[in-house]
Amino acid sequence: MIYADNAATTKMNTAAADAMRSCMEQAWGNPSSLYGLGQRAAEVLQDARERIAACIGASCKEITFTSGGSEADNQAIRSTALLGAQRGKRHIISTAFEHHAVMHTLKRLEGEGFEVELLPVGGLGTVTAGQVAAAIREDTALVTVMYANNEIGSILPIPEIGAACRERGVLFHTDAVQAAGHLPIDVRAQNIDLLSLSAHKFHGPKGAGALYARQGVPLTSLIEGGAQERGRRAGTENVPAIAGMAAALEEACAHMEENAARVSALRDRLIAGLSQIPHAALNGDPVNRLPGNVNFCFEGVEGESLLLLLDSWGICASSGSACTSGSLDPSHVLLAIGRPHEAAHGSLRLSLCGENTEADAEAILKAVPEAVNHLRDLSPLWRDKVSGKRNFIL
Ligand SMILES: *Cc1c(COP(=O)(O)O)cnc(C)c1O
């Protein structure tokens, strides 16, 4: 099997699995309990907090553990929206291609009386600091812009956007779920007030994430209950998963440069090869993109069919975002970069990691053109295009 869907989730690495097992066997107490066993769990938690903070240039008091990236996004946005509303500020700036965890939270806030402004992301899928600065108003409570896009891989100018926000005294949150462990993060140098990350996107366990909130930015708890996480997140902490997250992030950060170099070489090989397919188009920025991200639209092909055919040949890939499969709507990300509906339906995302090999790339470069040709041969729409009854769009 070739696994090329690392943007959806990653396989846990040995360091994370070992840390989890050791925690489950030796520090399985409740970290709120005062006896030794509980305190051993509390120490694991504190150690993980310090290590995760160190990986992103934060201090440990600024880290709140959550159940994952979605919860971190929800909490960051809800907390800052509430803070704004208390000061009469109800305007929120974001982009048209955020993850659903951000999009749907913003949608909900709109229903609660907030005004949400989604900046257009252009054909390459990015926004500039200038665009953000121009959109900021007296009543802007928050700017939330993702660090890197999960579908098309484009990397946004986070330090510049952060600086524009700071200059105008507006809080800045970034969903860094696709960036953490893959791109260098320094919350102070990059002017970030709040940042979300998720363990299972960097070879840690699912169901663990963290929200960084700069000291002085108060967080509202989404869950009522005990006083865990200093009152910012009720519920007994998932200590083994948090230990696994710390181990995975450290490992990812320690090998970030060499991994990025190897993975981006494979990525570029795939992009060059798949670009040879007629009526295909690369989605996203060809240069400024996540090391492992390859995303194409193939005209005359249904993304879902392509995905299933590749699966039957032992290749795991994705069409748009995993969260949207099962829905007939094309990806909002592909629509946001200007792909027409028809082209957006024929998209394929391959997302690589350090474990992928040259042989994987070779197999993909053989399989994808074959699959595309096969599906086109079966397509009445494609036949119409070839015979000139319909126009090509890509
Ligand atoms: C995966 C992902 C999330 C959600 O994280 P979970 O831990 O799965 O809840 C949020 N934002 C982005 C950009 C993602 O890729």
Side-chain angles (χ1 to χ4, degrees):
M1 188 194 74
I2 295 174
Y3 187 73
D5 201 14
N6 287 277
T9 197
T10 57
K11 180 178 152 194
M12 262 223 280
N13 64 24
T14 315
D18 287 351
M20 288 186 76
R21 171 167 284 277
S22 135
C23 177
M24 287 188 280
E25 285 173 353
Q26 285 154 43
W28 50 268
N30 188 320
S32 299
S33 300
L34 294 179
Y35 41 76
L37 182 62
Q39 287 311 295
R40 272 214 291 288
E43 280 161 24
V44 169
L45 206 57
Q46 181 56 19
D47 175 61
R49 202 183 303 280
E50 283 168 12
R51 289 157 63 198
I52 289 169
C55 287
I56 61 168
S59 79
C60 61
K61 283 192 178 148
E62 297 172 314
I63 302 295
T64 301
F65 293 126
T66 67
S67 65
S70 299
E71 186 186 330
D73 284 340
N74 274 254
Q75 188 169 14
I77 294 169
R78 281 221 159 259
S79 299
T80 47
L82 187 71
L83 204 63
Q86 285 163 356
R87 297 168 187 167
K89 299 180 175 193
R90 294 184 156 262
H91 178 237
I92 300 173
I93 299 167
S94 188
T95 77
F97 75 161
E98 297 292 316
H99 189 272
H100 282 145
V102 169
M103 277 306 192
H104 293 171
T105 304
L106 294 176
K107 198 85 213 146
R108 186 64 76 91
L109 287 172
E110 246 175 6
E112 295 171 18
F114 286 85
E115 185 188 339
V116 175
E117 185 172 346
L118 299 180
L119 301 174
V121 296
L124 294 180
T126 194
V127 296
T128 63
Q131 262 176 291
V132 172
I136 290 176
R137 311 191 313 214
E138 279 295 305
D139 63 339
T140 303
L142 170 71
V143 170
T144 173
V145 173
M146 70 199 318
Y147 201 121
N149 185 272
N150 47 303
E151 288 190 40
I152 59 171
S154 45
I155 301 168
L156 285 88
I158 293 304
E160 293 80 3
I161 294 172
C165 293
R166 192 139 305 168
E167 208 170 280
R168 290 158 185 82
V170 175
L171 288 174
F172 174 48
H173 166 251
T174 185
D175 172 346
V177 173
Q178 289 292 332
H182 304 279
L183 301 172
I185 295 178
D186 184 334
V187 289
R188 303 230 189 286
Q190 296 174 328
N191 312 304
I192 298 165
D193 296 312
L194 301 108
L195 174 143
S196 311
L197 57 82
S198 172
H200 76 103
K201 303 291 175 72
F202 50 76
H203 304 279
K206 290 167 219 357
L211 173 57
Y212 152 82
R214 181 171 56 75
Q215 197 143 28
V217 178
L219 293 181
T220 311
S221 184
L222 299 178
I223 299 168
E224 303 301 337
Q228 289 92 351
E229 296 299 284
R230 302 195 301 145
R232 289 174 292 193
R233 208 277 180 178
T236 304
E237 301 86 344
N238 188 354
V239 186
I242 291 167
M245 170 162 60
L249 187 58
E250 263 183 357
E251 176 95 352
C253 290
H255 302 286
M256 190 181 287
E257 255 179 70
E258 60 191 85
N259 251 335
R262 220 190 32 258
V263 174
S264 56
L266 287 180
R267 171 199 68 191
D268 292 342
R269 193 170 155 203
L270 288 184
I271 290 178
L274 298 179
S275 299
Q276 304 296 312
I277 297 176
H279 304 286
L282 177 70
N283 294 313
D285 192 316
V287 182
N288 191 28
R289 71 191 293 139
L290 285 169
N293 179 286
V294 177
N295 190 322
F296 274 87
C297 283
F298 300 111
E299 188 163 1
V301 165
E302 274 297 327
E304 299 276 281
S305 314
L306 182 54
L307 182 54
L308 292 174
L309 188 52
L310 290 174
D311 175 44
S312 76
W313 296 346
I315 297 172
C316 305
S318 138
S319 179
S321 158
C323 324
T324 50
S325 47
S327 134
L328 285 176
D329 292 332
S331 145
H332 70 288
V333 174
L334 297 176
L335 297 181
I337 60 168
R339 294 289 179 219
H341 275 241
E342 187 198 319
H345 273 298
S347 76
L348 179 73
R349 178 187 70 188
L350 298 153
S351 45
L352 310 170
C353 75
E355 281 195 11
N356 288 111
T357 61
E358 292 282 338
D360 290 350
E362 227 159 275
I364 290 170
L365 284 174
K366 188 165 171 292
V368 174
E370 252 175 59
V372 168
N373 282 337
H374 177 70
L375 294 172
R376 281 175 173 171
D377 284 346
L378 299 174
S379 158
L381 184 69
W382 182 255
R383 227 168 292 139
D384 283 354
K385 292 187 184 230
V386 173
S387 69
K389 266 195 235 156
R390 278 167 184 270
N391 289 330
F392 285 108
I393 51 175
L394 292 179

